[in-house]
């Protein structure tokens, strides 16, 4: 890796400070727990592939991690006078949701080639009912080009504390994050793009069902989707 400039070093220090503040925020306002973090690779490129329940998902998903990681964020968020510079300062990558954004994909691959991590929410938008939408293909390309492992992640409870119909979150709610077993770059390559997307969707839904069973929550019903 090329030597970091002074600006880069300052931004990196700010990144870790911001991550620490996000962790404190989540611990103060929510009953937040993370499980199976040992599944996150200790070195090398990786992709966290998570369901999307609320605006707070990047905080819940990544602020306890000891590794450097970037997030994809909707390009319109960067237009906000306050939020835009803030997420840019912590290495967020803008992405256009309405179309295949080749520029964003190239930036993700660049980060992965540096040996860092990227968190993706393949559903593209926050859930409307707590269910996990089918993932689209495209993850395979990132995995192959960036030689990255894939880590399935399920966030549970964030939908209840901040559904998209609500303007503010509810404090004190339980939120858990579960990291599944990593899929190696070679395993992902063997599956192919379509099969990989189907496998990840199925894996996250199974993880979600197990979490709901342990918590005594009603499982999400995907039967209508299977009957189509």
């Amino acid at each position: 890796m090329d030597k970091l400039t002074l600006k880069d070093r300052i931004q990196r220090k700010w990144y870790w400070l911001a991550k620490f503040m996000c962790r404190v925020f989540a611990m103060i306002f929510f009953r937040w727990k993370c499980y199976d973090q040992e599944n996150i690779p200790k070195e090398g490129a990786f992709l966290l592939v998570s369901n999307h329940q609320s605006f707070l998902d990047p905080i819940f998903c990544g602020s306890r991690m000891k590794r450097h990681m970037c997030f994809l964020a909707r390009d319109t968020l960067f237009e906000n006078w306050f939020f835009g510079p803030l997420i840019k300062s912590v290495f967020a990558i803008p992405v256009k949701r309405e179309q295949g954004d080749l520029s964003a994909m190239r930036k993700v691959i660049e980060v992965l080639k540096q040996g860092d991590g990227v968190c993706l929410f393949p559903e593209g938008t926050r859930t409307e009912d707590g269910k996990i939408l089918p993932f689209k293909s495209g993850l395979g390309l990132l995995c192959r080009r960036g030689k990255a492992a894939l880590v399935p992640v399920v966030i549970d409870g964030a939908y209840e504390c901040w559904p998209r119909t609500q303007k503010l979150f509810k404090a004190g709610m339980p939120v858990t994050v579960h990291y599944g077993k990593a899929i190696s770059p070679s395993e992902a390559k063997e599956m192919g793009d379509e099969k990989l997307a189907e496998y990840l969707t199925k894996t996250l839904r199974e993880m979600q069902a197990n979490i709901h069973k342990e918590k005594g929550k009603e499982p999400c019903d995907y039967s209508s989707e299977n009957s189509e």
Side-chain angles (χ1 to χ4, degrees), residues 3-67:
K3 290 184 178 180
L4 297 176
T5 65
L6 176 61
K7 181 180 179 181
D8 291 334
R9 289 199 296 271
I10 291 174
Q11 187 174 11
R12 287 249 172 177
K13 288 183 181 296
W14 159 245
Y15 168 85
W16 291 110
L17 175 60
K19 178 178 280 193
F20 172 75
M21 291 190 294
C22 286
R23 184 162 66 249
V24 171
F25 165 82
M27 292 174 68
I28 290 174
F29 286 98
F30 306 97
R31 288 181 282 152
W32 170 53
K33 295 182 179 180
C34 296
Y35 297 93
D36 303 317
Q37 286 182 275
E38 67 273 10
N39 288 324
I40 301 168
K42 290 181 172 57
E43 58 183 20
F46 67 97
L47 286 167
L48 291 188
V49 183
S50 176
N51 61 324
H52 199 4
Q53 293 201 328
S54 77
F55 280 131
L56 297 173
D57 290 347
I59 292 177
F60 293 139
C61 191
S63 59
R64 267 190 177 160
M65 290 181 55
K66 296 179 180 179
R67 295 199 55 190

Side-chain angles (χ1 to χ4, degrees), residues 152 181 183 191 194-204:
K181 292 184 179 179
I183 304 166
M191 287 186 198
E194 294 294 334
K195 188 177 178 180
L196 178 61
E198 292 173 4
Y199 176 81
L200 286 168
T201 302
K202 181 181 178 182
T203 298
L204 264 72

Side-chain angles (χ1 to χ4, degrees), residues 52 54-58 71-90 92-98 121 124-126 162:
H52 199 4
S54 77
F55 280 131
L56 297 173
D57 290 347
F71 289 87
L72 290 182
R74 191 174 71 241
D75 59 338
T76 54
L77 294 176
F78 288 79
E79 298 172 4
N80 182 277
W81 68 272
F82 173 77
F83 200 61
L86 179 61
I87 58 176
K88 186 177 180 180
S89 73
V90 291
I93 300 172
V95 61
K96 298 175 182 177
R97 291 192 309 176
E98 296 78 13
F121 301 102
T125 187
R126 288 165 293 152
W162 200 359

Side-chain angles (χ1 to χ4, degrees), residues 108-124:
V108 169
I109 293 170
E110 182 181 336
V111 170
L112 296 175
K113 285 184 175 180
Q114 293 174 353
D116 286 329
V118 177
C119 183
L120 304 174
F121 301 102
E123 295 168 282

Side-chain angles (χ1 to χ4, degrees), residues 143-194:
C143 189
R144 290 193 303 274
R145 291 284 191 87
K147 298 180 180 178
L150 286 164
V151 181
V153 183
V154 171
I155 300 171
D156 189 69
Y159 169 71
E160 287 82 359
C161 82
W162 200 359
R164 59 189 302 164
T165 56
Q166 194 170 297
K167 290 185 177 181
L168 294 174
F169 61 80
K170 298 176 184 176
M173 299 287 286
V175 178
T176 58
V177 182
H178 301 255
Y179 300 91
K181 292 184 179 179
I183 304 166
S184 69
S186 59
E187 289 174 323
K189 184 177 181 180
E190 287 179 8
M191 287 186 198
D193 291 1
E194 294 294 334

